[in-house]
Amino acid sequence: GDSVTQMEGPVTLSEEAFLTINCTYTATGYPSLFWYVQYPGEGLQLLLKATKADDKGSNKGFEATYRKETTSFHLEKGSVQVSDSAVYFCALNPTSGGGADGLTFGKGTHLIIQP
Amino acid sequence: ETGVTQSPTHLIKTRGQQVTLRCSSQSGHNTVSWYQQALGQGPQFIFQYYREEENGRGNFPPRFSGLQFPNYSSELNVNALELDDSALYLCASRAGGAQETQYFGPGTRLLVL
């Protein structure tokens, strides 16, 4: 079945450091790919998405490129801030099931940014 | 704010009891999905409703059931609660197909004692 693997956390960085959170997936066909962020005690917020190969999603300084050849969707940010501290989830939505299969999530990566 | 609301925010039940959780989808969204997020884990897909019919289900037993109403709001019912049902339950809504974004509510935190 479909699966998403993302790097284990916690990831601890200093403010203004460069961020990469790795995400790879297994799926048939051409899934849509998403990054969601969850702040403490809250639900999930969409950070960015890409729906086809070579698409780049971007938002709030974060970027991720849909790489079908490596089945990856790594999240990057050039200069992180303390306010970026949260749990980040990579997810896919298979298009082969007509949209009825729900999102498949990775286990999440806890990001801690120190001042 | 996504426009998706859930109630209640927190709930405590005992083993064997039944619980109903509620979700109001974002305006114009006709598809609602429910997810279970255990502590420290990613959300797991429970099921999805489209135009009042369940049209997709994850690996959850039949004691997890749901409804969707004509205004597209939804309920999640769990019978015979078990300790492992303790989790954050998230509702998400979207308009359109699989490529469209699912917008999540803040969740209901259920504790089963």
Side-chain angles (χ1 to χ4, degrees):
Chain A
D2 297 339
S3 66
V4 174
T5 302
Q6 58 184 108
M7 59 192 295
E8 299 280 332
V11 173
T12 303
L13 296 172
S14 297
E15 206 166 19
E16 300 183 2
F18 185 86
L19 168 70
T20 300
I21 300 178
N22 290 336
C23 171
T24 57
Y25 68 90
T26 302
T28 56
Y30 300 90
S32 296
L33 301 175
F34 303 83
W35 276 101
Y36 281 88
V37 59
Q38 187 173 37
Y39 298 99
E42 298 185 10
L44 299 175
Q45 299 177 24
L46 176 70
L47 184 57
L48 52 83
K49 73 175 186 180
T51 57
K52 61 182 186 296
D54 300 324
D55 266 2
K56 177 185 284 188
S58 61
N59 185 28
K60 300 181 181 179
F62 291 90
E63 293 183 340
T65 301
Y66 189 144
R67 302 286 189 200
K68 183 147 182 71
E69 64 275 15
T70 55
T71 62
S72 66
F73 193 53
H74 305 320
L75 182 68
E76 296 181 335
K77 187 175 184 182
S79 176
V80 292
Q81 306 299 313
V82 171
S83 58
D84 294 327
S85 299
V87 181
Y88 292 80
F89 292 95
C90 184
L92 70 82
N93 196 345
T95 53
S96 57
D101 295 332
L103 290 166
T104 297
F105 285 87
K107 291 186 176 181
T109 301
H110 187 192
L111 176 64
I112 301 169
I113 306 301
Q114 296 178 334
Chain B
E1 287 286 328
T2 64
V4 180
T5 60
Q6 294 186 242
S7 63
T9 55
H10 295 83
L11 203 52
I12 300 175
K13 292 286 188 179
T14 56
R15 269 187 309 175
Q17 286 189 311
Q18 178 266 343
V19 68
T20 298
L21 310 181
R22 294 178 175 82
C23 170
S24 291
S25 60
Q26 188 165 320
S27 177
H29 287 189
N30 55 15
T31 302
V32 175
S33 301
W34 286 90
Y35 294 82
Q36 180 195 68
Q37 186 180 16
L39 199 61
Q41 301 295 314
Q44 299 288 317
F45 174 63
I46 302 175
F47 48 57
Q48 176 176 285
Y49 277 81
Y50 171 69
R51 294 187 176 179
E52 304 177 56
E53 297 285 333
E54 182 184 303
N55 71 339
R57 191 175 185 92
N59 189 27
F60 280 80
R63 60 189 185 85
F64 286 79
S65 63
L67 284 173
Q68 187 181 30
F69 300 99
N71 66 353
Y72 303 135
S73 65
S74 177
E75 289 182 353
L76 164 65
N77 299 290
V78 187
N79 293 321
L81 284 167
E82 301 176 359
L83 297 180
D84 285 348
D85 296 334
S86 295
L88 179 69
Y89 288 85
L90 296 164
C91 167
S93 73
R94 75 166 193 260
Q99 291 185 329
E100 299 303 317
T101 300
Q102 293 195 28
Y103 294 91
F104 284 81
T108 293
R109 188 162 297 281
L110 172 66
L111 177 61
V112 182
L113 301 177

